[in-house]
């Protein structure tokens, strides 16, 4: 019998791997975000990484209760993507949709966004470097 979908089938969704990394002392839970609902995909222990197969354009959330932290991302075409909970995630929980999306965005997307902002002169290169320096030193940006 021929399988219903073959990997090269043009309408077959492309799978991607989401790496949910928990760098916090407490356990975290991984959720697939389906509209307003969260579907629990289980625990990601402290200091561990879980590999979750998914499809592009899917929203995922990684949440730790103690300490309180949460990150979210929407998967893209990249074969491997990261959802990372760190101490920086605890400092300030995203409060807007934009902050939440930026917190979970892949590094190349953020780099491209920052370059475009500098290129269009909406943000100065000096301001970007100051923010990056502050983050590296663990300080709050001014």
């Amino acid at each position: 019998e021929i399988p219903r979908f073959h990997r090269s089938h043009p309408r077959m969704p492309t799978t991607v791997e989401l790496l949910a990394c928990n760098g916090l002392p407490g356990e975290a839970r991984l959720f697939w975000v389906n509209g307003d609902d969260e579907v629990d995909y289980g625990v990601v222990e402290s200091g561990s990484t879980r590999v979750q197969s998914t499809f592009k354009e899917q929203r995922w959330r990684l949440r730790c209760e103690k300490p309180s932290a949460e990150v979210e991302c929407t998967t893209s075409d990249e074969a491997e993507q990261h959802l990372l909970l760190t101490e920086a995630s605890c400092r300030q929980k995203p409060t807007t949709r934009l902050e939440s999306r930026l917190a979970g965005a892949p590094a190349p997307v953020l780099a491209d966004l920052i370059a475009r902002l500098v290129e269009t002169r909406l943000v100065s290169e000096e301001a970007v470097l100051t923010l990056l320096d502050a983050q590296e030193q663990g300080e709050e940006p001014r």
Side-chain angles (χ1 to χ4, degrees):
E1 182 175 323
I2 299 174
R4 189 167 163 200
F5 284 108
H6 185 274
R7 226 150 156 47
S8 63
H9 190 282
R11 288 183 285 182
M12 176 74 174
T14 304
T15 59
V16 296
E17 287 192 342
L18 178 71
L19 277 66
C21 309
N22 181 6
L24 296 177
E27 70 177 29
R29 296 200 76 81
L30 180 63
F31 298 93
W32 171 54
V33 182
N34 184 15
D36 291 336
D37 298 326
E38 290 182 330
V39 179
D40 192 337
Y41 270 69
V43 172
V44 180
E45 296 293 338
S46 174
S48 68
T49 298
R50 176 173 174 176
V51 178
Q52 179 64 52
S53 290
T54 185
F55 302 102
K56 69 178 186 171
E57 298 177 11
Q58 299 296 304
R59 282 179 51 210
W60 290 87
R61 193 172 288 148
L62 187 60
R63 179 182 305 130
C64 184
E65 296 299 327
K66 292 183 182 177
S68 178
E70 181 177 297
V71 289
E72 182 176 306
C73 76
T74 300
T75 54
S76 66
D77 294 18
E78 293 179 37
E80 185 178 285
Q81 294 161 65
H82 296 82
L83 193 53
L84 180 62
L85 263 182
T86 63
E87 301 254 343
S89 311
C90 300
R91 289 192 196 126
Q92 183 177 2
K93 217 172 182 181
T95 56
T96 67
R97 183 170 178 256
L98 175 61
E99 288 173 341
S100 181
R101 293 287 305 273
L102 289 174
V109 170
L110 293 176
D112 184 53
L113 178 61
I114 291 168
R116 288 179 188 203
L117 289 171
V118 170
E119 189 176 286
T120 58
R121 300 188 189 278
L122 291 172
V123 174
S124 73
E125 187 173 331
E126 183 179 330
V128 172
L129 293 173
T130 300
L131 285 171
L132 292 172
D133 289 344
Q135 183 184 17
E136 283 178 1
Q137 297 170 9
E139 300 172 358
E140 288 295 319
R142 298 170 211 217

